[in-house]
């Protein structure tokens, strides 16, 4: 469903989760139902924030390596050098 970008497959999938009899799947399906608009938009629209998430992940890694051992100025230099 996600790879094929088929939002019409969402409702039958949620129905199958609810009918499964597994309480965890029912709870998961309820959560998906509450966020249905967001999920449909993610399946229908071609936009992605993957590049942004990659940069955020890289910056967090640089920050973690200097945590507690470096000043803000050194952190700033490392972030700018990594860019």
């Amino acid at each position: 469903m996600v790879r094929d970008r088929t939002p019409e497959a969402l409702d039958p999938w949620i129905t199958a989760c609810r009918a499964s009899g597994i309480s965890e799947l029912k709870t998961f399906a309820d959560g998906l139902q509450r966020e249905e608009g967001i999920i449909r938009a993610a399946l229908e629209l071609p936009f992605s924030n993957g590049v942004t998430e990659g940069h955020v992940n890289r910056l967090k890694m640089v920050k973690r390596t200097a945590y507690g051992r470096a000043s803000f100025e050194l952190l700033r230099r490392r972030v700018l050098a990594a860019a």
Side-chain angles (χ1 to χ4, degrees), residues 9 13-15 22-23 37 44 47-49 51 66 70 74 76:
W13 193 82
I14 290 175
T15 304
I22 301 170
S23 64
E44 292 172 353
F47 307 113
S48 172
N49 64 345
V51 174
L74 180 60
R76 181 179 170 276

Side-chain angles (χ1 to χ4, degrees), residues 66 68-77:
R69 294 179 287 172
S71 64
F72 178 75
E73 185 58 33
L74 180 60
L75 176 63
R76 181 179 170 276
R77 287 181 188 173

Side-chain angles (χ1 to χ4, degrees), residues 24-36:
E24 289 84 0
L25 276 178
K26 288 180 183 180
T27 304
F28 183 64
D30 290 340
L32 292 179
Q33 191 71 41
R34 282 192 301 271
E35 305 291 336
E36 184 178 3

